[in-house]
Amino acid sequence: MKLYCATSNPGKLLEFRLAAGQGWEFVPLAGIPPCEETGETFEENAVQKAIYYSRHAPGLLFAEDSGLEVDALGGAPGVRSARFAGDGASDAENNRALIEKLRGVTNRSARYVSVIALAEAGKELRTFRGEVAGRIVDEPRGANGFGYDPHFYYEAFGLTFAEAAAEQKLQVSHRGRALSKMLEWLSRRE
């Protein structure tokens, strides 16, 4: 089944493709001006993007919004995860800002959240949410993944997400969980 995808982030595209397995084709949209993300929640941003981009897709389209929520920071960085250190910040800059804000803080509990919104022809069909809990470690570990993965320690693995193999991470990741829910819903819908 072919689904259009409203992301050009190579890390996310790889995770979507690995998580879906055989029988699913994800086609990224290209050449469309970016959608402004003004939502206060992952759900609001995912829906906003899905409705906007689905107007340009010849079929079903999904958009995803995701990020890291740290309990000691009141849920921050949250929807600003990609811009935590400022607009245009790199992963390294965002990670430095996170660790700086957590200096001296003992409660390091955090969760990754992903919300996928599915739309067609400018109409929202449904949203799917996935979460995975972990904790933030000061020292980056591992070379896999992207974003906050080097600092996100997942207890069940005894590893950060950046130390885990991509296939291993996807079995439990927020994005993998949200995508699985969407694909299951689509399979029942056919």
Side-chain angles (χ1 to χ4, degrees):
M1 177 178 209
K2 181 187 287 191
L3 291 173
Y4 293 88
C5 179
T7 187
S8 57
N9 180 314
K12 287 184 179 185
L13 280 171
L14 176 63
E15 286 190 4
F16 290 141
R17 288 178 176 137
L18 285 172
Q22 301 286 22
W24 298 96
E25 180 186 0
F26 299 130
V27 180
L29 288 184
I32 298 166
C35 175
E36 189 177 353
E37 296 178 39
T38 59
E40 295 294 318
T41 67
F42 297 118
E43 284 82 3
E44 288 173 2
N45 281 337
V47 167
Q48 193 175 51
K49 291 189 286 189
I51 289 171
Y52 172 80
Y53 288 111
S54 71
R55 292 183 181 120
H56 304 280
L60 290 172
L61 173 132
F62 72 95
E64 188 250 12
D65 198 46
S66 59
L68 179 71
E69 294 180 340
V70 178
D71 292 334
L73 300 179
V79 296
R80 295 202 41 84
S81 290
R83 304 173 300 282
F84 194 49
D87 288 339
S90 68
D91 287 348
E93 291 166 329
N94 286 328
N95 279 310
R96 272 194 299 278
L98 174 67
I99 296 308
E100 184 58 38
K101 288 191 182 291
L102 288 175
R103 196 159 316 285
V105 175
T106 55
N107 177 9
R108 296 299 186 92
S109 60
R111 79 202 52 75
Y112 269 129
V113 177
S114 170
V115 175
I116 292 176
L118 184 66
E120 187 171 27
K123 292 188 171 121
E124 173 194 351
L125 300 177
R126 182 134 184 214
T127 60
F128 308 88
R129 185 180 179 95
E131 295 185 15
V132 61
R135 65 182 167 87
I136 304 302
V137 295
D138 280 333
E139 294 301 319
R141 295 172 23 193
N144 300 321
F146 60 99
Y148 297 97
D149 287 355
H151 292 278
F152 187 83
Y153 183 82
Y154 183 63
E155 195 74 43
F157 290 167
L159 303 169
T160 67
F161 267 10
E163 292 174 298
E167 295 80 7
Q168 182 183 25
K169 174 186 165 185
L170 280 171
Q171 292 174 1
V172 299
S173 81
H174 56 306
R175 194 167 291 113
R177 289 175 177 178
L179 184 72
S180 292
K181 289 176 183 177
M182 179 185 71
L183 298 180
E184 182 181 319
W185 185 80
L186 284 169
S187 294
R188 288 194 318 258
R189 187 173 174 251
E190 289 180 20

